[in-house]
């Protein structure tokens, strides 16, 4: 197992120095799920939620969160993201919504944390907007699906 990258020789937390890393195109995709009552999902899909288009608000929240990742996660680098995408895939048969994010840049460090943060905050925003009608919603399955670029190259969930 490789050494943890955010721990120095003294065992202290530190920000990774990326000064000498090459600038390359990097991208990451993440996903997560929010399960809910079938009536709640039907209400969202029919556009009948009293708070309006909850997907639009949640998408904007996810985009904003990805841009603020370094302010939320202490050892993340502030990044100049060139692309942030947050999509929602309703899955009525399972009473849930799949949330997928994509983050991209040309830089010296990866964007996995930004993609994970976008999914997480989009799910939390959906929860916040719907909790009055469905306080039993469940957020789960948040994970990186794929990353590209950098020294380690391409990685995809399920490939090791």
């Amino acid at each position: 197992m490789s050494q943890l990258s955010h721990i120095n020789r003294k065992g202290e937390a530190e920000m990774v120095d990326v000064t000498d890393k090459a600038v390359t195109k990097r991208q990451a995709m993440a996903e997560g799920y929010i399960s809910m009552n079938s009536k709640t999902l039907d209400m969202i899909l029919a556009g009948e939620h009293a708070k309006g288009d909850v997907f639009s608000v949640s998408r904007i929240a996810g985009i904003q969160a990805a841009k603020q990742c370094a302010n939320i996660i202490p050892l993340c680098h502030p990044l100049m993201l060139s692309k942030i995408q947050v999509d929602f895939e309703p899955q009525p048969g399972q009473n849930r919504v799949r949330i997928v994010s994509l983050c991209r840049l040309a830089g010296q460090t990866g964007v996995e944390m930004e993609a994970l943060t976008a999914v997480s905050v989009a799910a939390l925003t959906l929860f916040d907007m719907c909790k009055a009608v469905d306080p039993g919603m469940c957020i789960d399955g948040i994970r990186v699906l794929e990353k590209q670029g950098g020294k380690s190259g391409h990685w995809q969930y399920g490939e090791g």
Side-chain angles (χ1 to χ4, degrees):
M1 185 174 178
S2 61
Q3 183 178 345
L4 296 173
S5 60
H6 289 82
I7 305 294
N8 67 20
R9 291 181 188 164
K10 297 178 189 174
E12 303 163 334
E14 71 175 3
M15 190 173 193
V16 174
D17 184 355
V18 297
T19 305
D20 295 327
K21 288 178 116 183
V23 172
T24 61
K25 178 181 172 185
R26 297 163 187 261
Q27 158 174 315
M29 288 183 65
E31 74 175 347
Y33 297 86
I34 182 165
S35 301
M36 61 190 68
N37 211 306
S38 62
K39 290 180 183 179
T40 306
L41 185 54
D42 290 344
M43 182 187 304
I44 292 169
L45 296 177
E48 297 171 352
H49 196 290
K51 292 187 179 181
D53 184 353
V54 298
F55 287 155
S56 289
V57 175
S58 298
R59 178 176 291 109
I60 297 297
I63 291 168
Q64 284 295 103
K67 294 187 327 186
Q68 294 299 315
C69 190
N71 294 324
I72 300 167
I73 312 289
L75 300 178
C76 282
H77 293 84
L79 302 178
M80 182 62 77
L81 296 167
S82 57
K83 173 74 174 171
I84 306 167
Q85 184 173 326
V86 178
D87 294 310
F88 300 93
E89 179 188 319
Q91 298 178 337
Q94 295 166 305
N95 295 327
R96 69 183 187 180
V97 176
R98 178 178 184 237
I99 304 163
V100 179
S101 70
L102 167 76
C103 291
R104 183 181 299 143
L105 59 60
Q108 295 169 289
T109 188
V111 291
E112 297 92 340
M113 294 308 299
E114 289 71 14
L116 288 165
T117 300
V119 165
S120 300
V121 171
L124 289 169
T125 303
L126 274 173
F127 189 99
D128 180 51
M129 294 189 74
C130 298
K131 68 182 183 262
V133 295
D134 191 356
M137 291 175 289
C138 178
I139 296 168
D140 65 2
I142 297 172
R143 64 183 172 198
V144 174
L145 291 174
E146 183 177 20
K147 72 163 248 28
Q148 296 178 25
K151 188 169 80 173
S152 61
H154 184 250
W155 177 90
Q156 196 164 8
Y157 181 80
E159 291 184 356

